[in-house]
Amino acid sequence: MNRLKGIGKKAYSVWCTAWFVLPFLTSYPLFRVLIAKPNRLKHAHHLNRLWSKFQLRMYLMPVTVKGLEQLNPNQKYVFAPNHSSYIDIPMILAAVPGFLNFVGKKSLTKVPLWGRIYDALYISVDRDSPISSAKAYIASKQSLEAGRSIVIFPEGKISPESGRKLLPFKDGPFKLAIEKQVPIVPITMPYNHLFLPDVKGKLIIRYHPLEMIIHPPISTEGLTMQDLEFLKNQTFTIIQETLDQKNHEHQHRNLTPAGALSPA
């Protein structure tokens, strides 16, 4: 039985990897055409969303999204999700509507093929460089001024305890939300680390249902920089308490017997 489970897990990993790579390679020439001119970038983003939705569907696991009804399509937001897996961005792309802008680490621009697309569509930052961080902050402000909501992972990186304990939050997204007087939206993704854990030097994919909770937007109207710590702590508490609750539910629910594709 253990051998059968091992074969099932490897087969599922190959299946998921194929449905990540093949649609991207097929659509890559169109991506290159769309990112060639600024007035086409919105279409490139929509293509990226279609790729994200398609790959998630082909992974054959349930994906539940809660709280979308709380978002106003005419409102700009700063979205602040927890960061636990490389599946986080496709999850957000697939679920959250609008022409989003992501702030991500500079190394994403170095990924073969995909890096060129990320560099054209989104904002990259070297968090060890004050100059790079300042440029990313200015670009984020300009994005909001242009009517494009921003997604910033306030942890800055994936935690060794991802999906369980948050890293301390950076000030950036909260400073941005206050300065531009736009609501900040906490997002909790409690199970992404179970599907695609961040393991150095290894690709591990495990079948697991995914969930996204979009919490009620937190108004920043009338807030000043003196309120930054309060806003940051409020957002941190919302996400951490949800992770605690989901971990408790996950550990104590009556699970069906594990199948060949189930995580160990």
Side-chain angles (χ1 to χ4, degrees), residues 28-38 40-41 43-45 113-121:
Y28 183 71
L30 181 54
F31 268 120
R32 288 297 302 272
V33 171
L34 293 177
I35 65 173
K37 294 187 177 182
R40 298 174 184 168
L41 293 182
H43 302 296
H45 176 78
L113 300 181
W114 164 247
R116 184 185 294 265
I117 296 168
Y118 185 90
D119 197 34
L121 276 176

Side-chain angles (χ1 to χ4, degrees), residues 54-74:
F54 183 73
Q55 63 175 280
L56 287 170
R57 183 178 293 273
M58 294 309 298
Y59 296 159
L60 307 178
M61 76 251 172
V63 178
T64 304
V65 179
K66 299 177 180 178
L68 265 178
E69 71 282 354
Q70 301 174 107
L71 300 181
N72 179 350
N74 300 314

Side-chain angles (χ1 to χ4, degrees), residues 110-128:
K110 308 295 183 183
V111 177
L113 300 181
W114 164 247
R116 184 185 294 265
I117 296 168
Y118 185 90
D119 197 34
L121 276 176
Y122 307 121
I123 299 168
S124 61
V125 58
D126 178 357
R127 298 190 186 277
D128 295 325

Side-chain angles (χ1 to χ4, degrees), residues 4-198:
L4 182 61
K5 286 184 67 175
I7 293 172
K9 289 177 183 178
K10 288 181 181 178
Y12 184 66
S13 293
V14 171
W15 172 269
C16 292
T17 302
W19 286 112
F20 174 84
V21 173
L22 292 177
F24 174 70
L25 292 179
T26 303
S27 58
Y28 183 71
L30 181 54
F31 268 120
R32 288 297 302 272
V33 171
L34 293 177
I35 65 173
K37 294 187 177 182
N39 62 351
R40 298 174 184 168
L41 293 182
K42 190 171 184 178
H43 302 296
H45 176 78
H46 291 325
L47 179 60
N48 202 8
R49 172 172 285 130
L50 287 175
W51 172 41
S52 297
K53 287 184 175 182
F54 183 73
Q55 63 175 280
L56 287 170
R57 183 178 293 273
M58 294 309 298
Y59 296 159
L60 307 178
M61 76 251 172
V63 178
T64 304
V65 179
K66 299 177 180 178
L68 265 178
E69 71 282 354
Q70 301 174 107
L71 300 181
N72 179 350
N74 300 314
Q75 172 68 56
K76 296 170 293 184
Y77 296 103
V78 174
F79 293 98
N82 69 301
H83 198 14
S84 64
S85 169
Y86 286 106
I87 199 67
D88 294 346
I89 290 178
M91 279 276 288
I92 294 168
L93 275 168
V96 180
F99 185 21
L100 303 176
N101 204 346
F102 288 83
V103 178
K105 59 185 180 180
K106 189 74 174 178
S107 60
L108 289 172
T109 65
K110 308 295 183 183
V111 177
L113 300 181
W114 164 247
R116 184 185 294 265
I117 296 168
Y118 185 90
D119 197 34
L121 276 176
Y122 307 121
I123 299 168
S124 61
V125 58
D126 178 357
R127 298 190 186 277
D128 295 325
S129 167
I131 295 175
S132 178
S133 296
K135 287 181 177 179
Y137 187 80
I138 292 170
S140 299
K141 288 200 297 183
Q142 292 171 339
S143 181
L144 288 171
E145 290 164 1
R148 193 175 173 190
S149 292
I150 290 282
V151 181
I152 305 178
F153 297 99
E155 294 169 275
K157 61 182 180 180
I158 296 176
S159 164
E161 294 188 90
S162 60
R164 293 177 293 276
K165 295 296 179 184
L166 296 170
L167 290 170
F169 280 3
K170 310 280 187 185
D171 289 347
F174 310 99
K175 180 180 177 183
L176 181 66
I178 291 172
E179 183 174 347
K180 303 309 295 183
Q181 294 286 283
V182 300
I184 194 154
V185 182
I187 293 179
T188 306
M189 294 176 284
Y191 305 130
N192 289 8
H193 67 292
L194 297 176
F195 171 75
L196 185 62
D198 180 36

